[in-house]
Amino acid sequence: MASDRIDVVDGDSVLVDRRVDRTWVTLHRPAERNAIDAGMVEQLHDLCAELESDPKVLVLTGGSDGVFAGGADIRQLLDRRSDDALKGINLRLFERIRSLPMPTVAAIDGWALGGGAELAYACDIRVASARAKFGQPEPRLGILAGAGAAFRLVRLLGESVAKQILLAGRTLDAEDALRHGLVLAVTEPEDLFSTADGVVDTMVMSSAKALRLSKITVDAPAAAHPHVDLLAQAVLFEDAEKFQRMGAFVNSKRARETRHA
């Protein structure tokens, strides 16, 4: 699908490709292996504000050069103190991405390490190239994976595999990630973006409101079910698009049955 426009500004840490039904965002600090710094965090917050106001599916990638994101910028981490840690600079950003109204897809080519891996975990769906690798090397630097991995990996992979990654330093390659369900698909690098677009093509065939409410129910805490499911379904049962879609389905079925009568 053709782009509406691509915003490229010298010095930008992210490149934004706005399309009719989706927004592609490319992390863009190639000289630093897309390390997540304060400037990138600020620009991604701006993007979140845009997608909260005008909801679209987000596709997030590090490009096609074999690196998704090599983690947080170590030079900036070195200068941070306990007050900075309590601000949750990366964690709050990743939580905001996690909470975007429409689904999010991470397209991962190559290394996703540290905060880069945690950014990928914050997305709803992940697709990977055959050279993708996920790892959390933070303890080797004297810190922990504090931007979501410690709790998201348990939910995504289970406690045992999560501890192998967080404590034993295990790196998951693309096939590991596929086998454990961390990624939806593994492709050759040259097919990664078309695969991600194909996932989104399937998504946008659905009702946008149904997608939004499905995401809310999936992400709701366990104690909220089944009440949140019932309330979300009640909203959709009154939605005009439900009647249009179901009416079209019934009419199409009736027409097929008439032709074969």
Side-chain angles (χ1 to χ4, degrees):
M1 186 173 296
S3 305
D4 288 341
R5 67 178 187 274
I6 302 177
D7 296 340
V8 181
V9 178
D10 288 343
D12 270 0
S13 296
V14 298
L15 307 180
V16 183
D17 178 358
R18 295 175 176 87
R19 310 184 189 184
V20 173
D21 56 1
R22 70 202 68 183
T23 295
W24 270 81
V25 173
T26 303
L27 308 179
H28 186 63
R29 299 187 71 214
E32 293 79 21
R33 297 172 62 83
N34 292 336
I36 301 168
D37 68 346
M40 183 181 288
V41 168
E42 180 180 358
Q43 291 179 43
L44 287 173
H45 270 300
D46 290 342
L47 174 73
C48 286
E50 176 183 317
L51 293 174
E52 289 159 355
S53 176
D54 181 20
K56 293 181 182 178
V57 175
L58 168 66
V59 184
L60 183 64
T61 186
S64 57
D65 295 328
V67 176
F68 177 73
D73 191 307
I74 303 301
R75 291 170 299 182
Q76 292 186 0
L77 285 182
L78 182 61
D79 292 332
R80 291 179 184 171
R81 297 296 185 264
S82 58
D83 286 346
D84 299 304
L86 292 172
K87 291 175 184 176
I89 295 170
N90 287 357
L91 176 61
R92 294 186 189 281
L93 169 64
F94 299 167
E95 281 290 295
R96 192 173 184 184
I97 291 172
R98 176 72 175 178
S99 300
L100 285 172
M102 290 290 280
T104 54
V105 178
I108 301 137
D109 180 34
W111 289 98
L113 295 176
E118 290 174 303
L119 175 56
Y121 306 153
C123 293
D124 297 308
I125 303 289
R126 287 154 295 278
V127 294
S129 77
R131 59 188 178 185
K133 295 182 184 295
F134 300 85
Q136 304 296 154
E138 288 91 343
R140 298 175 196 170
L141 297 172
I143 59 174
L144 58 79
F151 58 91
R152 288 205 178 94
L153 278 179
V154 173
R155 184 172 183 178
L156 290 168
L157 301 175
E159 180 179 339
S160 177
V161 178
K163 286 183 174 179
Q164 292 171 34
I165 295 168
L166 295 167
L167 305 182
R170 178 180 176 185
T171 298
L172 293 188
D173 64 21
E175 291 303 321
D176 288 334
L178 181 64
R179 184 169 63 255
H180 289 295
L182 183 62
V183 301
L184 171 64
V186 173
T187 73
E188 292 305 313
E190 61 269 22
D191 297 325
L192 179 63
F193 294 167
S194 61
T195 299
D197 265 330
V199 172
V200 179
D201 289 342
T202 300
M203 286 180 175
V204 298
M205 293 172 63
S206 299
S207 154
K209 185 177 288 187
L211 284 177
R212 292 182 64 174
L213 289 174
S214 294
K215 179 171 175 173
I216 288 172
T217 57
V218 170
D219 288 341
H225 298 284
H227 309 292
V228 67
D229 308 62
L230 297 176
L231 289 172
Q233 191 74 295
V235 171
L236 291 171
F237 269 28
E238 298 294 334
D239 188 56
E241 193 167 354
K242 170 247 187 178
F243 293 99
Q244 294 168 358
R245 286 172 174 266
M246 287 193 177
F249 177 85
V250 170
N251 290 335
S252 175
K253 183 178 180 182
R254 184 180 297 123
R256 291 196 302 271
E257 289 171 345
T258 301
R259 287 197 301 267
H260 292 93

